[in-house]
Amino acid sequence: MQRLNPDPQFVRELQGVGGDALTKCYQCATCSVACPISPSSQPYPRKEMIWAQWGLKDKLMSDVDVWLCHNCGTCSDLCPRGARPGDLLAAIRNMTYRSLVGPSVFAKWMSSPKYLPMLAVIPAILFLVIWGIMAGVNGTLFPLTEDGHVVYGLIFPGDYTIDPIFILVTIYVLVAFYTGVTRLLKRFKPEGEVIYVGGKKPSVIRCLWDTIVGEIVTHKKFADCGEDKAPRKIGHLAIFYAFIALAIVTSIVAWGHWLPVFLGWGGIEIHGIHTPMPQAFPVKVLANFGAILGLVGLTVLTANRVAKDPKKTESNYYDWYLLGVIWAIFLTGIACELLRLANFKYLAYPTYFVHLVAVFMLIGYLPWSKLGHLVYRTAALTYARYLGRKVM
C-alpha cells in the first residue's frame, strides 16, 4: 500500500500561482474526456485535480503528464464548475520552474510583479557602468562617428563588453538547463500503460528527433487541440520562427566578426561582417523579417490573451512577464534601428540601453521563466515518447 503525504502548504502555494479555482472541482471528469490529446490510459487532468486537492506535491512534481498538456484551454472552457484545470496544470509547471535550479532568489523574483524592479536593476546597473566608462573615453554620453552617425558600438563595444557578457550568461543558462532537465527527468515516474510500437523500446535520440521535428517545429499538438485554437498556434509559430531568424542573424554576425579575429591570430586574413550592416544586406533583411514576424506573433497572442474569459481561464504573472519582455525586445529593437538611421542620438542610445536590459531579462532568467518550458517540455515529451506514453 502506497503511503500518501498531503502538503497543505503546497495547496496554498499552488493557488497563489494560478491554481486558485481547484477547490471548485467535484471530479466529474469532463476535463479528461474533453481533452483531445490526453492519453487514453490514466488520462489527465482529472487525476491532477485530485492530487492537487489532496496536496500530493510529490505526485504532481513527478507527473510527466503535466508537461504533455499544451494549455489549449478546452478543459477549462467546458468545466461546469469553473475549476479551470488547464490553469492548474500551468500553475504546476510554474512551480516546477522555480524548484529545478538555483539560485532560489531568482525563482522568488520571477513569482511576483513586486520583484520586477529587482530583475531589471541587475542588467541596468551593469550596462550603465559600461555606458559611463565609455562616456569617459568618448568625452560624451551621446557620441557620433567622425562622419556624424550613431553607432551603438561607441557606447557598448561588442568586442570586450556585450559579447563577453552575453556569452557568459548563455553558458550559465545552458548549465542551468542541463541541471534542471536532469533533475526533472529523475523526478518523472510513468503513469498508465507503457506500450512500445512493435514491442521494441526506441532510442532516446530517435525520440528526441521525433519530438522536435514532429511536435516542436510544427506545433502539431496546438492544431490537435481544436480548430478554434488556430490563432494561438499562429501566434506561437510566428514568435518561434522569429526567434529562430534572429538567432541565425546573431550567430552569423558573431561568427563574421570573431572568426576573422581568430584566424588573424594564425596569420590568415579574411574580411568579416561588421555592424551596422546595409539595409539590403541579406543578413539585415533576415533580421528585419524576424522583427516583423515577431510583432505579428506578439499581436496575435496578446489579443488572444486579452480576449479570454476570466471565468474560464485566467492569465497570471508568468504569462504577462514573458509577453512584456518580448514586446520590449522587439519594440526597442525596431526603434533602435529607426533612430540610428535617423541619427537621433539622444533617443537612440537610451533606447538601445533599454533593449539590452530587456534581452538580458529574457536570456539571463530563462530557466525560471515560462519560456523555459520550451526546453523542459521538449525533455518531457521526449521522455513520454521513450516510455511509449500514448495520446488518444
Side-chain angles (χ1 to χ4, degrees), residues 128-380:
L128 280 175
V129 169
I130 294 173
W131 194 352
I133 293 174
M134 293 307 300
V137 173
N138 295 315
T140 175
L141 285 169
F142 307 98
L144 295 174
T145 61
E146 292 182 357
D147 53 353
H149 291 97
V150 169
V151 173
Y152 296 119
L154 293 174
I155 56 172
F156 297 108
D159 289 1
Y160 49 90
T161 58
I162 302 304
D163 287 356
I165 287 172
F166 280 106
I167 287 173
L168 291 175
V169 169
T170 301
I171 292 173
Y172 176 77
V173 168
L174 291 175
V175 172
F177 271 131
Y178 174 81
T179 303
V181 168
T182 301
R183 291 175 177 173
L184 183 68
L185 294 178
K186 286 182 178 179
R187 289 181 181 181
F188 286 154
K189 298 174 183 177
E191 289 286 341
E193 186 179 6
V194 176
I195 303 175
Y196 297 115
V197 178
K200 182 180 179 181
K201 180 184 290 187
S203 68
V204 174
I205 299 300
R206 177 57 188 271
C207 291
L208 177 60
W209 174 261
D210 290 344
T211 297
I212 293 175
V213 175
E215 297 189 34
I216 304 301
V217 172
T218 62
H219 281 45
K220 181 178 181 298
K221 285 294 188 293
F222 281 80
D224 293 342
C225 285
E227 294 181 0
D228 59 326
K229 310 301 178 183
R232 183 168 174 263
K233 177 184 177 181
I234 293 172
H236 277 87
L237 277 176
I239 293 180
F240 179 73
Y241 283 105
F243 273 116
I244 289 179
L246 296 177
I248 292 173
V249 169
T250 302
S251 300
I252 292 175
V253 171
W255 278 103
H257 173 76
W258 287 104
L259 186 59
V261 174
F262 293 143
L263 293 177
W265 294 343
I268 302 174
E269 294 187 7
I270 63 172
H271 293 289
I273 297 177
H274 300 283
T275 56
M277 296 174 288
Q279 293 298 311
F281 192 64
V283 178
K284 189 66 175 181
V285 172
L286 180 60
N288 289 333
F289 172 76
I292 295 173
L293 190 61
L295 287 181
V296 171
L298 283 168
T299 301
V300 172
L301 289 182
T302 304
N304 185 62
R305 188 161 294 282
V306 171
K308 283 186 175 181
D309 185 348
K311 295 181 179 179
K312 295 181 178 180
T313 184
E314 184 173 326
S315 297
N316 54 62
Y317 176 61
Y318 282 91
D319 300 322
W320 288 115
Y321 172 87
L322 181 58
L323 275 176
V325 169
I326 297 178
W327 267 115
I329 289 174
F330 278 89
L331 290 179
T332 56
I334 293 173
C336 283
E337 181 177 356
L338 296 177
L339 291 170
R340 177 183 62 80
L341 292 173
N343 270 337
F344 290 162
K345 64 178 184 178
Y346 295 112
L347 288 178
Y349 289 121
T351 302
Y352 189 65
F353 165 77
V354 175
H355 179 69
L356 289 176
V357 170
V359 171
F360 187 100
M361 291 177 68
L362 179 72
I363 298 175
Y365 307 132
L366 200 58
W368 302 274
S369 76
K370 187 177 179 180
L371 192 58
H373 83 277
L374 185 63
V375 174
Y376 295 129
R377 189 192 295 280
T378 300

Side-chain angles (χ1 to χ4, degrees), residues 37-50:
I37 63 173
S38 178
S40 56
S41 173
Q42 296 290 323
Y44 61 79
R46 184 193 180 192
K47 64 181 186 299
E48 284 75 17
M49 297 297 288
I50 296 175

Side-chain angles (χ1 to χ4, degrees), residues 25-51 63 65-66 69 72-80 83-86 88-89 224 389-392:
C25 173
Y26 64 172
Q27 297 304 319
C28 68
T30 298
C31 53
S32 293
V33 174
C35 180
I37 63 173
S38 178
S40 56
S41 173
Q42 296 290 323
Y44 61 79
R46 184 193 180 192
K47 64 181 186 299
E48 284 75 17
M49 297 297 288
I50 296 175
W51 296 344
D63 180 24
D65 287 358
V66 169
C69 167
C72 68
T74 299
C75 57
S76 297
D77 291 343
L78 298 177
C79 178
R84 304 202 303 267
L88 174 80
L89 296 185
D224 293 342
R389 190 82 169 102
K390 298 300 177 183
V391 300
M392 288 184 179

